[in-house]
Amino acid sequence: MVTTNPEAPSQETELKIVEDATCTFCGCVCDDIELTVENNHITKAKRACVLGKAWFLNHEVEDRPSCLIDGQPATVEEGYDLAAKILTDGDYPIIYGLSDAPCEAQRKAVGIADWIDGTIDTTTSVCHGPSGMAFQGVGEVTCSLGEVANRGDMIIFWGSNPAESHPRHFTKYSLMPKGMFVPNGRKDRTCVIVDVRKTKSANTADIFLQIKPRKDFEALWTLRALAQNIELDPALVLEETGVELAVFQDLMDRMKACKFGVIFFGMGLTMTRGKHCNSEALLALTRDMNAYTRFVAKPNRGHGNVTGADNVVSWRTGYPFGVNHSRGYPRFNPGEYTTSDTLANREADCGMMIACDPMANFSQPAREHLASIPYIALDTKITPTTRAAKVAFSVATYGINTGGTVYRMDDVPIPLRPSCDSPHPSDFEVLSQIEKRVQAIIASR
């Protein structure tokens, strides 16, 4: 809700308060932020964490053209036309990114990929992609963060460091809230941290298990065996995991005795040795525990709307990421249709990068090939990817300049409440115009 302060002191100062604004910096998507906006600039962000304050207070609309072609200013109409031509002229077009765009824009991007028989992929493929594969193999026992706040009495973080990556996770959802069935908040909960090093989150834990690097799979299967009351060799467990069997047994006894257990897992699990096998083991352990008590698992997602990207791509294609349409129907094969692979293998011949920066974080072969093909880039700021793009659009920032819908990490949709104006078009507007031109070109052939 937006209100204007009647006591605005200055004749030239326009002051407004935006209540219940949504922060899209991380997957927590906190929607209780109160923003103070003076002269179209955010000056206060009440209730935001340190990362959220940086997200809101450092926001500035950069004074540059909304469209660049080969680095030179152009009209957005010229940019739309050239973007559509690039995408429809290619034999292997790719679309990548999407995790920092609203669901409405993501839907348009998937539509374009379908029209051009292209391959669409999201940043999930380089973070929680293994979890997406594991969900399809094992399934997911899940819940909302509201249930965690009201019921969770055994909270386990595996390969995740929310104290630094999601600063309000503890206070808003998982550890500190006084819920309906945990009225004493933190005192009613047991917090367990499992990691290969002692992170800042470990300081808040009741139990900290420091396992050997790249031994998550072995540790999870140790717990699975204990859940089935299978006898294990203590020396072998210690050698493989770096943790005493008695410690695992104590943890398993506590897990069986709790009323509502939750395992939050991060990239410390999904992107280490084993990858999707690690995620499958954790999801299978969660499933096993439901023979004794209620247990759920949730990935701790990073980008503001990466969960929305998974949902939207799944609605439209049946798969969460790495989807190819070249045969006229969607096919899913991580390792073949994921963008880091299509670029490193020099298969893609044109593309569109949306709210992402592969030129800064992909492998050298992938970056070199991306630089050699024509592609379109959409972003709110200048990045290495926008600098090398054939067509670069400066777009408004979602959640600050534009509305729409995003998904919290527990798959709950949250509306956005924009607070400031922007001279740039939204990514939804840009993608809608490109899609119209793509359809016109295809119809004329």
Side-chain angles (χ1 to χ4, degrees), residues 5-27:
N5 190 338
E7 299 179 354
S10 171
Q11 296 178 349
E12 299 180 354
T13 300
E14 182 183 348
L15 179 66
K16 67 178 179 181
I17 305 297
V18 181
E19 297 178 352
D20 298 328
T22 301
C23 175
T24 53
F25 183 82
C26 80

Side-chain angles (χ1 to χ4, degrees), residues 39-53:
N39 293 332
N40 206 37
H41 182 72
I42 299 171
T43 56
K44 295 179 182 176
K46 189 177 179 180
R47 288 186 286 275
C49 67
V50 61
L51 299 178
K53 288 185 187 298

Side-chain angles (χ1 to χ4, degrees), residues 271-341:
M271 297 307 286
T272 56
R273 192 196 68 161
K275 293 193 173 182
H276 69 281
C277 294
N278 294 341
S279 299
E280 286 179 354
L282 186 139
L283 296 174
L285 171 64
T286 306
R287 183 188 59 198
D288 295 346
M289 293 309 302
N290 278 271
Y292 304 97
T293 186
R294 174 69 169 156
F295 238 94
V296 301
K298 293 300 301 178
N300 267 354
R301 306 306 301 272
H303 294 283
N305 198 27
V306 67
T307 305
D310 291 352
N311 277 273
V312 172
V313 178
S314 296
W315 298 339
R316 297 296 301 270
T317 70
Y319 305 106
F321 64 95
V323 183
N324 177 271
H325 293 84
S326 62
R327 292 186 179 176
Y329 56 87
R331 293 183 295 161
F332 172 62
N333 193 12
E336 181 179 6
Y337 302 138
T338 37
T339 302
S340 58
D341 301 289

Side-chain angles (χ1 to χ4, degrees), residues 134-394:
F135 290 148
Q136 297 198 356
V138 180
E140 182 184 16
V141 188
T142 186
C143 72
S144 70
L145 291 177
E147 286 186 270
V148 176
N150 281 289
R151 298 176 181 276
D153 61 347
M154 166 67 81
I155 312 295
I156 301 173
F157 294 93
W158 196 302
S160 175
N161 182 18
E164 293 182 288
S165 61
H166 303 77
R168 294 190 76 194
H169 201 293
F170 289 159
T171 56
K172 195 171 192 301
Y173 301 114
S174 55
L175 289 188
M176 307 308 290
K178 295 181 178 179
M180 185 177 296
F181 300 100
V182 280
N184 298 311
R186 180 67 180 89
K187 294 179 181 177
D188 288 337
R189 306 177 199 271
T190 300
C191 175
V192 181
I193 303 289
V194 184
D195 214 322
V196 298
R197 60 188 175 88
K198 190 170 184 179
T199 63
K200 189 176 180 181
S201 297
N203 296 328
T204 66
D206 300 302
I207 301 171
F208 172 57
L209 268 66
Q210 185 168 359
I211 60 175
K212 286 184 176 179
R214 303 186 297 173
K215 290 293 184 178
D216 299 271
F217 183 84
E218 288 79 357
L220 286 162
W221 271 85
T222 298
L223 288 171
R224 288 198 71 194
L226 294 175
Q228 304 298 325
N229 298 315
I230 296 173
E231 291 189 9
L232 299 174
D233 180 350
L236 183 59
V237 170
L238 179 60
E239 179 185 350
E240 288 294 322
T241 67
V243 178
E244 298 276 358
L245 177 60
V247 176
F248 281 117
Q249 185 64 63
D250 175 65
L251 175 59
M252 177 50 59
D253 293 342
R254 292 170 183 263
M255 291 170 69
K256 288 181 177 178
C258 78
K259 295 180 179 178
F260 194 102
V262 188
I263 307 177
F264 291 102
F265 59 102
M267 290 174 59
L269 177 78
T270 65
M271 297 307 286
T272 56
R273 192 196 68 161
K275 293 193 173 182
H276 69 281
C277 294
N278 294 341
S279 299
E280 286 179 354
L282 186 139
L283 296 174
L285 171 64
T286 306
R287 183 188 59 198
D288 295 346
M289 293 309 302
N290 278 271
Y292 304 97
T293 186
R294 174 69 169 156
F295 238 94
V296 301
K298 293 300 301 178
N300 267 354
R301 306 306 301 272
H303 294 283
N305 198 27
V306 67
T307 305
D310 291 352
N311 277 273
V312 172
V313 178
S314 296
W315 298 339
R316 297 296 301 270
T317 70
Y319 305 106
F321 64 95
V323 183
N324 177 271
H325 293 84
S326 62
R327 292 186 179 176
Y329 56 87
R331 293 183 295 161
F332 172 62
N333 193 12
E336 181 179 6
Y337 302 138
T338 37
T339 302
S340 58
D341 301 289
T342 57
L343 289 174
N345 295 333
R346 308 184 69 82
E347 295 168 336
D349 61 357
C350 65
M352 181 158 62
M353 307 294 125
I354 304 170
C356 60
D357 193 10
M359 291 295 279
N361 51 45
F362 272 17
S363 65
Q364 184 67 21
R367 295 200 306 270
E368 289 176 356
H369 185 62
L370 180 60
S372 70
I373 63 175
Y375 71 90
I376 304 104
L378 282 69
D379 212 318
T380 59
K381 54 191 178 302
I382 297 174
T383 68
T385 300
T386 62
R387 290 192 189 99
K390 180 73 174 178
V391 184
F393 291 100
S394 296

